[in-house]
Amino acid sequence: MAGTVTHDPPSAAGGRRGGPLIVTEDTELLDDLLRLCAAAGATPEVHHSVPDRGEGWEAAPLVLIGDDAARRVRAAARRRGVVLVGRDQDDPGVWKRAVQIGADHVLMLPDGEQWLVDRIADVAEGVGRPALTVGVIGGRGGAGASTLACALAVTSAREGLRTLLVDADPLGGGLDVLLGGETAEGLRWPAFAASRGRVGSGALEESLPQLHSLRVLSWDRGDCVAIPPQAVRAVLAAARRRGGTVVVDLPRRIDDGTAEALAQLDIGLLVVPGELRAVAAAGRVASAAGMVLRDLRVAVRGPYAPGLDDREVARLLGLPLAGEVPVEAGLLRPAEGRTPPGAGGRGPLARFCKEFWERALVEAGAA
């Protein structure tokens, strides 16, 4: 159980981050709080009462007060980000003690454990602007969605943004292959299949292969072709918390895992070749994706069938036009002597991606 008394905790002064301050003499409660801090990837400072040096009390991003210590901290300076932690669900006096010490929240264990782990992880990692998250989905097979997803990610990294590329299509052959990094060290999707609750964003990023100045979450060559929706939700939420940009290559089939990915997107790009059959197929994909994703735009790829151009394709689909995706012939893996999509920085595809990011970042207020 967790109850709110007043307001949310502040950011640490000057942007400095660290673990919470724990104040308690209850050894069993302390063991539980230390366990929860470890689960959140934070190292706490522990005291039996308010620290002698006021800086520890004032500077801690989060203060966890055991119910046994409430009386000992009454005289401490009032501050935000104080949580009173107890175990007795039926104790009516806990709310009075919370008011006396200026606590923002009252939390009872074990019911409130997940809430507290999330809160500790927030203050340990820092909570800033989430990553601008863009999904790319093909209007039909072979539309070039994976190529565009890679080019967007490579361009974002080249512009100096922290970038994570997520391969959400288990049957797509692997974006690490497209980037020439199928043998690169790091974790792939199957390692996160059992993820529940919260995944540490820093630990996630450090565990993934780094290719062309960006991190890539792709598939291995095993038999795993599905990730539970809870794991997709946890991993993408962790990816977004670090800021920068996240690019997701999506499958055309909208299952529960894909729906979780769509729900975390800021912008979706539907890649549609300029031909009538592709437009018809893309209409079905757009209808399914649009049930979850609010901002879906069409990126049209030529050559065009007679009577079609990029604006006409967008009109037929009833979607905003993101632009015309240039076609660059001969995009091969770096192992075969070529750079990955968009890596050169000077071709038409790289220019398209750069212009897309410039517009999208301004729209998001992140530029």
Side-chain angles (χ1 to χ4, degrees), residues 53 82 128 141 161 190 218 221 267 313 351-352 362:
R53 299 189 307 277
V82 174
L161 296 171
S218 190
R221 312 306 157 221
I267 301 171
V313 170
R351 288 194 297 271
F352 171 89
V362 169

Side-chain angles (χ1 to χ4, degrees), residues 1-6 82-84 95 98 103-108 115:
M1 182 188 81
T4 301
V5 178
T6 53
V82 174
V83 180
L84 183 63
W95 296 98
D104 296 324
H105 297 275
V106 173
L107 181 137
M108 293 296 170
W115 182 93

Side-chain angles (χ1 to χ4, degrees), residues 29 54 56 73 128 130-131 137 188 226 233 257 260 269 287 289 311 314 316 367:
L29 179 62
V73 302
I137 185 169
R188 267 68 173 179
R233 183 189 314 130
E260 287 290 350
L269 293 179
S287 178
R311 290 180 175 82
L316 291 172

Side-chain angles (χ1 to χ4, degrees), residues 343-362:
R346 297 182 180 179
L349 182 58
R351 288 194 297 271
F352 171 89
C353 293
K354 183 177 180 179
E355 292 171 1
F356 169 81
W357 285 123
E358 289 173 349
R359 293 192 303 269
L361 290 167
V362 169

Side-chain angles (χ1 to χ4, degrees), residues 70-89:
R71 182 173 298 178
R72 297 194 297 277
V73 302
R74 283 182 187 173
R78 293 300 175 97
R79 53 151 293 164
R80 295 163 60 190
V82 174
V83 180
L84 183 63
V85 185
R87 294 183 184 280
D88 188 352
Q89 304 273 6

Side-chain angles (χ1 to χ4, degrees), residues 227-230 232-233 253-263 292:
I227 299 296
Q230 305 96 312
V232 175
R233 183 189 314 130
R253 179 173 58 89
I254 311 299
D255 57 14
D256 290 343
T258 305
E260 287 290 350
L262 287 168
V292 182

Side-chain angles (χ1 to χ4, degrees), residues 9 17-20 33 35-43 61-62 64 113-128 197-203 237-238 241-242:
R17 286 286 163 189
L33 293 177
R35 171 176 57 82
L36 297 177
C37 285
T43 302
L62 182 68
L64 308 178
E113 286 193 356
Q114 187 58 58
W115 182 93
L116 187 54
V117 169
D118 289 347
R119 197 54 167 272
I120 295 169
D122 280 343
V123 301
E125 294 179 346
V127 179
R198 184 184 182 108
V199 174
S201 58
R241 283 197 301 272
R242 296 283 282 187

